[in-house]
Amino acid sequence: MKITDIKFAMLRVPLKTPFKTALRTVESIEDIVIMVHTDTGHVGYGEAPATAVITGDTHGSMVEAIDRIMKPKLIGQEVSDLNHIIGLIQNGIIRNYSAKAAVEMAVYDLWGQLYNAPLYKMLGGGVPTISTDITISVDYIDKMVADSLEAIDRGFETLKIKVGKDIGVDIERVKAIYAAVEGKALLRLDANQGWTPKEAVYALHKLEGAGVRLELVEQPVKARDIDGMKYITERVHTPVMADESSFGPREVIELIKMRAADIINIKLMKTGGISNAIKIADICSVYDMQCMIGCMLESSISVSAAVHLAVAKSNVITKIDLDGPSLCAYDPVKGSVSFKDAEISINDSPGLGIESIEGLEEFIPRS
């Protein structure tokens, strides 16, 4: 099975409600989809969002990086020579993490198809059913409480609460939600880099003192403020999780050595794909550190790849934040990964198991 071409498309899917964080507000998914074609007729699928505020990637930059740099190197390569292909993707251009992730997942999809096995089995196997949390966007307190209760009614047992806009209001938001859902769901906080180290310690002490029990707090300070992460981790009982501070294996090793986080959030769009995500999971396993697997605003194309990885690495990926498809007004993908609110399951179709994608718009790179 040789790679013969890489084609592009745009996928647009409206969200059920606007997605609001300390960094941005988004009303729809608008992602680049890539299709890696082969001489056997098999097609591998990948996807990446433009999340410039986090990864630096835009639609244009991703297409340029793939079409001009990666594609010429990959044409004619044997899918069975996976490690060589991964090296070509990772070493041909620096950064461009989301572009690399999209290409990698398409190649891994083909690799599973080549050997007629679902990707999670190729990566080590596991029980093909997991449960995800769901995100509660920043909003008025009453709206966030109502959204939380609605999520519980849909079967979600873990809620990720977006904060980071205003420290005083954030504290009241969390108290109100905790009072409404106590005993019904676990709470995770995600400040999206919105607090200072002292604000984070202040807020968490206030919440802990009020009896609010949190499963974790995610990325409370700016991504590069590793000293700030350490400052918080040393001063609060709530476990601190690194997200934007931990893109690749090197950052994870630094965080572990500095004891600047208790948990690492793996996202394929940050790591540059499945290969580095596996490395991070293995590093964390050595140091007995738990991982979460998360996603950006992505459809079930790329989230399916994350699901396969989560199942295969369930020994260390113990927390799941793959709610992208649940936030969409509809799922445009027909495939082997089933997203039913909190429950996600995989059947045994080869690779990622994607059969068809509704509403793809052809995207032709600039000549």
PDB file of all heavy atoms in Angstrom, residues 141-179:
ATOM      1  N   ILE A 141     -23.985  32.992  35.868  1.00  0.00           N
ATOM      2  CA  ILE A 141     -23.996  31.899  36.830  1.00  0.00           C
ATOM      3  C   ILE A 141     -25.223  31.016  36.660  1.00  0.00           C
ATOM      4  O   ILE A 141     -25.117  29.780  36.618  1.00  0.00           O
ATOM      5  CB  ILE A 141     -23.908  32.445  38.276  1.00  0.00           C
ATOM      6  CG1 ILE A 141     -22.532  33.071  38.500  1.00  0.00           C
ATOM      7  CG2 ILE A 141     -24.156  31.326  39.288  1.00  0.00           C
ATOM      8  CD1 ILE A 141     -22.356  33.738  39.860  1.00  0.00           C
ATOM      9  N   ASP A 142     -26.395  31.613  36.552  1.00  0.00           N
ATOM     10  CA  ASP A 142     -27.628  30.820  36.418  1.00  0.00           C
ATOM     11  C   ASP A 142     -27.592  29.948  35.170  1.00  0.00           C
ATOM     12  O   ASP A 142     -28.064  28.803  35.188  1.00  0.00           O
ATOM     13  CB  ASP A 142     -28.856  31.737  36.386  1.00  0.00           C
ATOM     14  CG  ASP A 142     -29.149  32.382  37.732  1.00  0.00           C
ATOM     15  OD1 ASP A 142     -28.540  31.932  38.732  1.00  0.00           O
ATOM     16  OD2 ASP A 142     -29.974  33.313  37.782  1.00  0.00           O
ATOM     17  N   LYS A 143     -27.040  30.499  34.095  1.00  0.00           N
ATOM     18  CA  LYS A 143     -26.950  29.730  32.840  1.00  0.00           C
ATOM     19  C   LYS A 143     -25.986  28.558  33.004  1.00  0.00           C
ATOM     20  O   LYS A 143     -26.262  27.438  32.531  1.00  0.00           O
ATOM     21  CB  LYS A 143     -26.474  30.647  31.711  1.00  0.00           C
ATOM     22  CG  LYS A 143     -26.280  29.948  30.363  1.00  0.00           C
ATOM     23  CD  LYS A 143     -27.596  29.501  29.742  1.00  0.00           C
ATOM     24  CE  LYS A 143     -27.470  29.205  28.250  1.00  0.00           C
ATOM     25  NZ  LYS A 143     -26.468  28.185  27.918  1.00  0.00           N
ATOM     26  N   MET A 144     -24.875  28.782  33.672  1.00  0.00           N
ATOM     27  CA  MET A 144     -23.907  27.698  33.864  1.00  0.00           C
ATOM     28  C   MET A 144     -24.476  26.599  34.772  1.00  0.00           C
ATOM     29  O   MET A 144     -24.249  25.410  34.531  1.00  0.00           O
ATOM     30  CB  MET A 144     -22.602  28.255  34.441  1.00  0.00           C
ATOM     31  CG  MET A 144     -21.850  29.158  33.476  1.00  0.00           C
ATOM     32  SD  MET A 144     -20.277  29.791  34.142  1.00  0.00           S
ATOM     33  CE  MET A 144     -19.258  28.317  34.060  1.00  0.00           C
ATOM     34  N   VAL A 145     -25.223  26.986  35.782  1.00  0.00           N
ATOM     35  CA  VAL A 145     -25.878  25.986  36.644  1.00  0.00           C
ATOM     36  C   VAL A 145     -26.890  25.188  35.838  1.00  0.00           C
ATOM     37  O   VAL A 145     -26.942  23.950  35.922  1.00  0.00           O
ATOM     38  CB  VAL A 145     -26.553  26.672  37.847  1.00  0.00           C
ATOM     39  CG1 VAL A 145     -27.444  25.670  38.600  1.00  0.00           C
ATOM     40  CG2 VAL A 145     -25.512  27.258  38.790  1.00  0.00           C
ATOM     41  N   ALA A 146     -27.688  25.876  35.027  1.00  0.00           N
ATOM     42  CA  ALA A 146     -28.689  25.183  34.207  1.00  0.00           C
ATOM     43  C   ALA A 146     -28.027  24.240  33.206  1.00  0.00           C
ATOM     44  O   ALA A 146     -28.480  23.102  33.009  1.00  0.00           O
ATOM     45  CB  ALA A 146     -29.565  26.201  33.474  1.00  0.00           C
ATOM     46  N   ASP A 147     -26.945  24.696  32.578  1.00  0.00           N
ATOM     47  CA  ASP A 147     -26.218  23.845  31.631  1.00  0.00           C
ATOM     48  C   ASP A 147     -25.636  22.614  32.328  1.00  0.00           C
ATOM     49  O   ASP A 147     -25.618  21.514  31.764  1.00  0.00           O
ATOM     50  CB  ASP A 147     -25.092  24.639  30.964  1.00  0.00           C
ATOM     51  CG  ASP A 147     -25.594  25.687  29.981  1.00  0.00           C
ATOM     52  OD1 ASP A 147     -26.785  25.636  29.604  1.00  0.00           O
ATOM     53  OD2 ASP A 147     -24.791  26.548  29.592  1.00  0.00           O
ATOM     54  N   SER A 148     -25.162  22.797  33.543  1.00  0.00           N
ATOM     55  CA  SER A 148     -24.593  21.682  34.302  1.00  0.00           C
ATOM     56  C   SER A 148     -25.653  20.641  34.615  1.00  0.00           C
ATOM     57  O   SER A 148     -25.428  19.429  34.465  1.00  0.00           O
ATOM     58  CB  SER A 148     -23.954  22.200  35.593  1.00  0.00           C
ATOM     59  OG  SER A 148     -22.905  23.094  35.316  1.00  0.00           O
ATOM     60  N   LEU A 149     -26.813  21.088  35.055  1.00  0.00           N
ATOM     61  CA  LEU A 149     -27.896  20.154  35.387  1.00  0.00           C
ATOM     62  C   LEU A 149     -28.413  19.438  34.137  1.00  0.00           C
ATOM     63  O   LEU A 149     -28.728  18.241  34.180  1.00  0.00           O
ATOM     64  CB  LEU A 149     -29.037  20.903  36.082  1.00  0.00           C
ATOM     65  CG  LEU A 149     -28.694  21.453  37.477  1.00  0.00           C
ATOM     66  CD1 LEU A 149     -29.824  22.339  37.988  1.00  0.00           C
ATOM     67  CD2 LEU A 149     -28.422  20.312  38.454  1.00  0.00           C
ATOM     68  N   GLU A 150     -28.455  20.158  33.021  1.00  0.00           N
ATOM     69  CA  GLU A 150     -28.874  19.525  31.769  1.00  0.00           C
ATOM     70  C   GLU A 150     -27.882  18.438  31.356  1.00  0.00           C
ATOM     71  O   GLU A 150     -28.276  17.357  30.897  1.00  0.00           O
ATOM     72  CB  GLU A 150     -28.972  20.571  30.655  1.00  0.00           C
ATOM     73  CG  GLU A 150     -29.417  19.986  29.318  1.00  0.00           C
ATOM     74  CD  GLU A 150     -29.343  20.989  28.171  1.00  0.00           C
ATOM     75  OE1 GLU A 150     -28.919  22.133  28.406  1.00  0.00           O
ATOM     76  OE2 GLU A 150     -29.682  20.598  27.039  1.00  0.00           O
ATOM     77  N   ALA A 151     -26.589  18.703  31.533  1.00  0.00           N
ATOM     78  CA  ALA A 151     -25.566  17.715  31.185  1.00  0.00           C
ATOM     79  C   ALA A 151     -25.721  16.456  32.044  1.00  0.00           C
ATOM     80  O   ALA A 151     -25.580  15.331  31.543  1.00  0.00           O
ATOM     81  CB  ALA A 151     -24.172  18.311  31.374  1.00  0.00           C
ATOM     82  N   ILE A 152     -26.002  16.633  33.309  1.00  0.00           N
ATOM     83  CA  ILE A 152     -26.215  15.478  34.190  1.00  0.00           C
ATOM     84  C   ILE A 152     -27.430  14.683  33.731  1.00  0.00           C
ATOM     85  O   ILE A 152     -27.410  13.444  33.712  1.00  0.00           O
ATOM     86  CB  ILE A 152     -26.376  15.947  35.651  1.00  0.00           C
ATOM     87  CG1 ILE A 152     -25.035  16.469  36.167  1.00  0.00           C
ATOM     88  CG2 ILE A 152     -26.875  14.812  36.541  1.00  0.00           C
ATOM     89  CD1 ILE A 152     -25.120  17.159  37.512  1.00  0.00           C
ATOM     90  N   ASP A 153     -28.476  15.369  33.335  1.00  0.00           N
ATOM     91  CA  ASP A 153     -29.680  14.683  32.821  1.00  0.00           C
ATOM     92  C   ASP A 153     -29.358  13.872  31.572  1.00  0.00           C
ATOM     93  O   ASP A 153     -30.018  12.856  31.295  1.00  0.00           O
ATOM     94  CB  ASP A 153     -30.784  15.700  32.506  1.00  0.00           C
ATOM     95  CG  ASP A 153     -31.409  16.301  33.765  1.00  0.00           C
ATOM     96  OD1 ASP A 153     -31.247  15.697  34.845  1.00  0.00           O
ATOM     97  OD2 ASP A 153     -32.038  17.373  33.661  1.00  0.00           O
ATOM     98  N   ARG A 154     -28.355  14.284  30.805  1.00  0.00           N
ATOM     99  CA  ARG A 154     -27.946  13.561  29.590  1.00  0.00           C
ATOM    100  C   ARG A 154     -27.013  12.396  29.898  1.00  0.00           C
ATOM    101  O   ARG A 154     -26.618  11.672  28.984  1.00  0.00           O
ATOM    102  CB  ARG A 154     -27.270  14.520  28.619  1.00  0.00           C
ATOM    103  CG  ARG A 154     -28.217  15.546  27.992  1.00  0.00           C
ATOM    104  CD  ARG A 154     -27.439  16.613  27.248  1.00  0.00           C
ATOM    105  NE  ARG A 154     -26.567  16.061  26.209  1.00  0.00           N
ATOM    106  CZ  ARG A 154     -25.625  16.758  25.577  1.00  0.00           C
ATOM    107  NH1 ARG A 154     -25.418  18.041  25.908  1.00  0.00           N
ATOM    108  NH2 ARG A 154     -24.883  16.197  24.648  1.00  0.00           N
ATOM    109  N   GLY A 155     -26.634  12.241  31.161  1.00  0.00           N
ATOM    110  CA  GLY A 155     -25.819  11.094  31.547  1.00  0.00           C
ATOM    111  C   GLY A 155     -24.360  11.396  31.826  1.00  0.00           C
ATOM    112  O   GLY A 155     -23.580  10.483  32.116  1.00  0.00           O
ATOM    113  N   PHE A 156     -23.960  12.675  31.761  1.00  0.00           N
ATOM    114  CA  PHE A 156     -22.566  13.027  32.048  1.00  0.00           C
ATOM    115  C   PHE A 156     -22.334  13.012  33.550  1.00  0.00           C
ATOM    116  O   PHE A 156     -23.105  13.592  34.315  1.00  0.00           O
ATOM    117  CB  PHE A 156     -22.220  14.392  31.466  1.00  0.00           C
ATOM    118  CG  PHE A 156     -22.134  14.405  29.971  1.00  0.00           C
ATOM    119  CD1 PHE A 156     -23.231  14.756  29.191  1.00  0.00           C
ATOM    120  CD2 PHE A 156     -20.962  14.037  29.334  1.00  0.00           C
ATOM    121  CE1 PHE A 156     -23.167  14.756  27.806  1.00  0.00           C
ATOM    122  CE2 PHE A 156     -20.874  14.037  27.947  1.00  0.00           C
ATOM    123  CZ  PHE A 156     -21.985  14.387  27.182  1.00  0.00           C
ATOM    124  N   GLU A 157     -21.242  12.365  33.962  1.00  0.00           N
ATOM    125  CA  GLU A 157     -20.911  12.253  35.379  1.00  0.00           C
ATOM    126  C   GLU A 157     -19.715  13.118  35.769  1.00  0.00           C
ATOM    127  O   GLU A 157     -19.349  13.164  36.947  1.00  0.00           O
ATOM    128  CB  GLU A 157     -20.632  10.786  35.734  1.00  0.00           C
ATOM    129  CG  GLU A 157     -21.859   9.892  35.531  1.00  0.00           C
ATOM    130  CD  GLU A 157     -21.595   8.446  35.878  1.00  0.00           C
ATOM    131  OE1 GLU A 157     -20.410   8.078  36.043  1.00  0.00           O
ATOM    132  OE2 GLU A 157     -22.566   7.682  35.993  1.00  0.00           O
ATOM    133  N   THR A 158     -19.112  13.781  34.789  1.00  0.00           N
ATOM    134  CA  THR A 158     -17.993  14.689  35.048  1.00  0.00           C
ATOM    135  C   THR A 158     -18.191  15.940  34.201  1.00  0.00           C
ATOM    136  O   THR A 158     -18.451  15.843  32.996  1.00  0.00           O
ATOM    137  CB  THR A 158     -16.644  14.036  34.697  1.00  0.00           C
ATOM    138  OG1 THR A 158     -16.527  12.791  35.392  1.00  0.00           O
ATOM    139  CG2 THR A 158     -15.498  14.936  35.101  1.00  0.00           C
ATOM    140  N   LEU A 159     -18.066  17.102  34.835  1.00  0.00           N
ATOM    141  CA  LEU A 159     -18.259  18.372  34.153  1.00  0.00           C
ATOM    142  C   LEU A 159     -16.959  19.168  34.207  1.00  0.00           C
ATOM    143  O   LEU A 159     -16.315  19.264  35.253  1.00  0.00           O
ATOM    144  CB  LEU A 159     -19.367  19.189  34.824  1.00  0.00           C
ATOM    145  CG  LEU A 159     -20.700  18.478  35.072  1.00  0.00           C
ATOM    146  CD1 LEU A 159     -21.665  19.423  35.795  1.00  0.00           C
ATOM    147  CD2 LEU A 159     -21.312  17.989  33.767  1.00  0.00           C
ATOM    148  N   LYS A 160     -16.575  19.753  33.060  1.00  0.00           N
ATOM    149  CA  LYS A 160     -15.413  20.643  33.022  1.00  0.00           C
ATOM    150  C   LYS A 160     -15.918  22.074  32.947  1.00  0.00           C
ATOM    151  O   LYS A 160     -16.506  22.486  31.945  1.00  0.00           O
ATOM    152  CB  LYS A 160     -14.496  20.323  31.846  1.00  0.00           C
ATOM    153  CG  LYS A 160     -13.217  21.145  31.911  1.00  0.00           C
ATOM    154  CD  LYS A 160     -12.135  20.639  30.970  1.00  0.00           C
ATOM    155  CE  LYS A 160     -12.319  21.170  29.575  1.00  0.00           C
ATOM    156  NZ  LYS A 160     -11.106  20.971  28.751  1.00  0.00           N
ATOM    157  N   ILE A 161     -15.679  22.831  34.008  1.00  0.00           N
ATOM    158  CA  ILE A 161     -16.223  24.177  34.138  1.00  0.00           C
ATOM    159  C   ILE A 161     -15.185  25.192  33.669  1.00  0.00           C
ATOM    160  O   ILE A 161     -14.067  25.249  34.186  1.00  0.00           O
ATOM    161  CB  ILE A 161     -16.594  24.482  35.615  1.00  0.00           C
ATOM    162  CG1 ILE A 161     -17.439  23.330  36.204  1.00  0.00           C
ATOM    163  CG2 ILE A 161     -17.313  25.806  35.717  1.00  0.00           C
ATOM    164  CD1 ILE A 161     -18.724  23.057  35.477  1.00  0.00           C
ATOM    165  N   LYS A 162     -15.565  25.992  32.691  1.00  0.00           N
ATOM    166  CA  LYS A 162     -14.669  27.031  32.185  1.00  0.00           C
ATOM    167  C   LYS A 162     -14.725  28.253  33.115  1.00  0.00           C
ATOM    168  O   LYS A 162     -15.816  28.752  33.445  1.00  0.00           O
ATOM    169  CB  LYS A 162     -15.066  27.449  30.770  1.00  0.00           C
ATOM    170  CG  LYS A 162     -14.840  26.364  29.727  1.00  0.00           C
ATOM    171  CD  LYS A 162     -13.373  26.127  29.463  1.00  0.00           C
ATOM    172  CE  LYS A 162     -13.135  25.190  28.299  1.00  0.00           C
ATOM    173  NZ  LYS A 162     -11.695  24.957  28.046  1.00  0.00           N
ATOM    174  N   VAL A 163     -13.550  28.708  33.537  1.00  0.00           N
ATOM    175  CA  VAL A 163     -13.430  29.905  34.360  1.00  0.00           C
ATOM    176  C   VAL A 163     -12.270  30.730  33.799  1.00  0.00           C
ATOM    177  O   VAL A 163     -11.799  30.476  32.700  1.00  0.00           O
ATOM    178  CB  VAL A 163     -13.190  29.545  35.844  1.00  0.00           C
ATOM    179  CG1 VAL A 163     -14.426  28.908  36.459  1.00  0.00           C
ATOM    180  CG2 VAL A 163     -11.986  28.607  36.000  1.00  0.00           C
ATOM    181  N   GLY A 164     -11.822  31.741  34.566  1.00  0.00           N
ATOM    182  CA  GLY A 164     -10.669  32.520  34.144  1.00  0.00           C
ATOM    183  C   GLY A 164     -10.992  33.910  33.637  1.00  0.00           C
ATOM    184  O   GLY A 164     -10.104  34.615  33.177  1.00  0.00           O
ATOM    185  N   LYS A 165     -12.250  34.328  33.727  1.00  0.00           N
ATOM    186  CA  LYS A 165     -12.642  35.657  33.256  1.00  0.00           C
ATOM    187  C   LYS A 165     -12.514  36.715  34.351  1.00  0.00           C
ATOM    188  O   LYS A 165     -12.001  37.802  34.143  1.00  0.00           O
ATOM    189  CB  LYS A 165     -14.103  35.611  32.767  1.00  0.00           C
ATOM    190  CG  LYS A 165     -14.306  34.947  31.416  1.00  0.00           C
ATOM    191  CD  LYS A 165     -13.982  35.907  30.288  1.00  0.00           C
ATOM    192  CE  LYS A 165     -14.428  35.378  28.943  1.00  0.00           C
ATOM    193  NZ  LYS A 165     -14.159  36.321  27.850  1.00  0.00           N
ATOM    194  N   ASP A 166     -13.023  36.404  35.550  1.00  0.00           N
ATOM    195  CA  ASP A 166     -13.044  37.331  36.683  1.00  0.00           C
ATOM    196  C   ASP A 166     -12.957  36.496  37.941  1.00  0.00           C
ATOM    197  O   ASP A 166     -13.840  35.684  38.210  1.00  0.00           O
ATOM    198  CB  ASP A 166     -14.332  38.155  36.650  1.00  0.00           C
ATOM    199  CG  ASP A 166     -14.424  39.140  37.799  1.00  0.00           C
ATOM    200  OD1 ASP A 166     -14.455  38.694  38.965  1.00  0.00           O
ATOM    201  OD2 ASP A 166     -14.490  40.356  37.536  1.00  0.00           O
ATOM    202  N   ILE A 167     -11.905  36.679  38.720  1.00  0.00           N
ATOM    203  CA  ILE A 167     -11.618  35.782  39.831  1.00  0.00           C
ATOM    204  C   ILE A 167     -12.766  35.709  40.837  1.00  0.00           C
ATOM    205  O   ILE A 167     -13.134  34.622  41.310  1.00  0.00           O
ATOM    206  CB  ILE A 167     -10.288  36.183  40.521  1.00  0.00           C
ATOM    207  CG1 ILE A 167      -9.803  35.056  41.441  1.00  0.00           C
ATOM    208  CG2 ILE A 167     -10.419  37.490  41.266  1.00  0.00           C
ATOM    209  CD1 ILE A 167      -9.223  33.898  40.713  1.00  0.00           C
ATOM    210  N   GLY A 168     -13.359  36.863  41.180  1.00  0.00           N
ATOM    211  CA  GLY A 168     -14.460  36.867  42.139  1.00  0.00           C
ATOM    212  C   GLY A 168     -15.681  36.145  41.617  1.00  0.00           C
ATOM    213  O   GLY A 168     -16.290  35.321  42.324  1.00  0.00           O
ATOM    214  N   VAL A 169     -16.035  36.450  40.382  1.00  0.00           N
ATOM    215  CA  VAL A 169     -17.195  35.792  39.773  1.00  0.00           C
ATOM    216  C   VAL A 169     -16.911  34.308  39.560  1.00  0.00           C
ATOM    217  O   VAL A 169     -17.790  33.461  39.722  1.00  0.00           O
ATOM    218  CB  VAL A 169     -17.573  36.471  38.445  1.00  0.00           C
ATOM    219  CG1 VAL A 169     -18.774  35.763  37.795  1.00  0.00           C
ATOM    220  CG2 VAL A 169     -17.905  37.939  38.671  1.00  0.00           C
ATOM    221  N   ASP A 170     -15.667  33.980  39.194  1.00  0.00           N
ATOM    222  CA  ASP A 170     -15.303  32.574  39.010  1.00  0.00           C
ATOM    223  C   ASP A 170     -15.578  31.765  40.274  1.00  0.00           C
ATOM    224  O   ASP A 170     -16.123  30.650  40.220  1.00  0.00           O
ATOM    225  CB  ASP A 170     -13.815  32.451  38.648  1.00  0.00           C
ATOM    226  CG  ASP A 170     -13.521  32.825  37.204  1.00  0.00           C
ATOM    227  OD1 ASP A 170     -14.457  32.825  36.382  1.00  0.00           O
ATOM    228  OD2 ASP A 170     -12.355  33.120  36.903  1.00  0.00           O
ATOM    229  N   ILE A 171     -15.192  32.300  41.418  1.00  0.00           N
ATOM    230  CA  ILE A 171     -15.408  31.596  42.680  1.00  0.00           C
ATOM    231  C   ILE A 171     -16.896  31.368  42.919  1.00  0.00           C
ATOM    232  O   ILE A 171     -17.322  30.265  43.298  1.00  0.00           O
ATOM    233  CB  ILE A 171     -14.779  32.386  43.848  1.00  0.00           C
ATOM    234  CG1 ILE A 171     -13.242  32.379  43.716  1.00  0.00           C
ATOM    235  CG2 ILE A 171     -15.202  31.803  45.193  1.00  0.00           C
ATOM    236  CD1 ILE A 171     -12.541  33.342  44.652  1.00  0.00           C
ATOM    237  N   GLU A 172     -17.701  32.385  42.669  1.00  0.00           N
ATOM    238  CA  GLU A 172     -19.148  32.246  42.868  1.00  0.00           C
ATOM    239  C   GLU A 172     -19.760  31.276  41.861  1.00  0.00           C
ATOM    240  O   GLU A 172     -20.687  30.528  42.193  1.00  0.00           O
ATOM    241  CB  GLU A 172     -19.827  33.620  42.771  1.00  0.00           C
ATOM    242  CG  GLU A 172     -19.404  34.594  43.865  1.00  0.00           C
ATOM    243  CD  GLU A 172     -19.550  33.991  45.259  1.00  0.00           C
ATOM    244  OE1 GLU A 172     -20.615  33.414  45.551  1.00  0.00           O
ATOM    245  OE2 GLU A 172     -18.594  34.105  46.052  1.00  0.00           O
ATOM    246  N   ARG A 173     -19.265  31.295  40.623  1.00  0.00           N
ATOM    247  CA  ARG A 173     -19.733  30.338  39.620  1.00  0.00           C
ATOM    248  C   ARG A 173     -19.548  28.910  40.124  1.00  0.00           C
ATOM    249  O   ARG A 173     -20.472  28.081  40.075  1.00  0.00           O
ATOM    250  CB  ARG A 173     -18.936  30.502  38.323  1.00  0.00           C
ATOM    251  CG  ARG A 173     -19.272  31.691  37.461  1.00  0.00           C
ATOM    252  CD  ARG A 173     -18.423  31.679  36.195  1.00  0.00           C
ATOM    253  NE  ARG A 173     -18.785  32.748  35.280  1.00  0.00           N
ATOM    254  CZ  ARG A 173     -17.974  33.743  34.929  1.00  0.00           C
ATOM    255  NH1 ARG A 173     -16.746  33.798  35.427  1.00  0.00           N
ATOM    256  NH2 ARG A 173     -18.386  34.674  34.098  1.00  0.00           N
ATOM    257  N   VAL A 174     -18.331  28.622  40.569  1.00  0.00           N
ATOM    258  CA  VAL A 174     -18.012  27.242  40.965  1.00  0.00           C
ATOM    259  C   VAL A 174     -18.802  26.837  42.201  1.00  0.00           C
ATOM    260  O   VAL A 174     -19.308  25.711  42.288  1.00  0.00           O
ATOM    261  CB  VAL A 174     -16.498  27.096  41.200  1.00  0.00           C
ATOM    262  CG1 VAL A 174     -16.168  25.681  41.657  1.00  0.00           C
ATOM    263  CG2 VAL A 174     -15.732  27.422  39.919  1.00  0.00           C
ATOM    264  N   LYS A 175     -18.920  27.725  43.159  1.00  0.00           N
ATOM    265  CA  LYS A 175     -19.711  27.415  44.360  1.00  0.00           C
ATOM    266  C   LYS A 175     -21.151  27.075  43.992  1.00  0.00           C
ATOM    267  O   LYS A 175     -21.729  26.112  44.515  1.00  0.00           O
ATOM    268  CB  LYS A 175     -19.692  28.601  45.325  1.00  0.00           C
ATOM    269  CG  LYS A 175     -18.411  28.783  46.109  1.00  0.00           C
ATOM    270  CD  LYS A 175     -18.563  29.971  47.056  1.00  0.00           C
ATOM    271  CE  LYS A 175     -17.328  30.193  47.901  1.00  0.00           C
ATOM    272  NZ  LYS A 175     -17.487  31.379  48.805  1.00  0.00           N
ATOM    273  N   ALA A 176     -21.738  27.881  43.114  1.00  0.00           N
ATOM    274  CA  ALA A 176     -23.145  27.661  42.737  1.00  0.00           C
ATOM    275  C   ALA A 176     -23.319  26.337  42.003  1.00  0.00           C
ATOM    276  O   ALA A 176     -24.268  25.584  42.261  1.00  0.00           O
ATOM    277  CB  ALA A 176     -23.632  28.824  41.869  1.00  0.00           C
ATOM    278  N   ILE A 177     -22.403  26.039  41.081  1.00  0.00           N
ATOM    279  CA  ILE A 177     -22.497  24.777  40.335  1.00  0.00           C
ATOM    280  C   ILE A 177     -22.286  23.592  41.261  1.00  0.00           C
ATOM    281  O   ILE A 177     -23.024  22.597  41.203  1.00  0.00           O
ATOM    282  CB  ILE A 177     -21.481  24.765  39.175  1.00  0.00           C
ATOM    283  CG1 ILE A 177     -21.849  25.822  38.137  1.00  0.00           C
ATOM    284  CG2 ILE A 177     -21.428  23.382  38.519  1.00  0.00           C
ATOM    285  CD1 ILE A 177     -20.777  26.063  37.090  1.00  0.00           C
ATOM    286  N   TYR A 178     -21.300  23.698  42.150  1.00  0.00           N
ATOM    287  CA  TYR A 178     -21.026  22.590  43.077  1.00  0.00           C
ATOM    288  C   TYR A 178     -22.236  22.317  43.969  1.00  0.00           C
ATOM    289  O   TYR A 178     -22.605  21.154  44.203  1.00  0.00           O
ATOM    290  CB  TYR A 178     -19.806  22.925  43.932  1.00  0.00           C
ATOM    291  CG  TYR A 178     -19.368  21.774  44.820  1.00  0.00           C
ATOM    292  CD1 TYR A 178     -18.649  20.712  44.294  1.00  0.00           C
ATOM    293  CD2 TYR A 178     -19.671  21.760  46.185  1.00  0.00           C
ATOM    294  CE1 TYR A 178     -18.244  19.656  45.094  1.00  0.00           C
ATOM    295  CE2 TYR A 178     -19.279  20.713  46.996  1.00  0.00           C
ATOM    296  CZ  TYR A 178     -18.566  19.659  46.447  1.00  0.00           C
ATOM    297  OH  TYR A 178     -18.182  18.609  47.239  1.00  0.00           O
ATOM    298  N   ALA A 179     -22.875  23.384  44.457  1.00  0.00           N
ATOM    299  CA  ALA A 179     -24.060  23.216  45.306  1.00  0.00           C
ATOM    300  C   ALA A 179     -25.188  22.509  44.551  1.00  0.00           C
ATOM    301  O   ALA A 179     -25.945  21.717  45.136  1.00  0.00           O
ATOM    302  CB  ALA A 179     -24.540  24.574  45.811  1.00  0.00           C
TER     303      ALA A 179
END
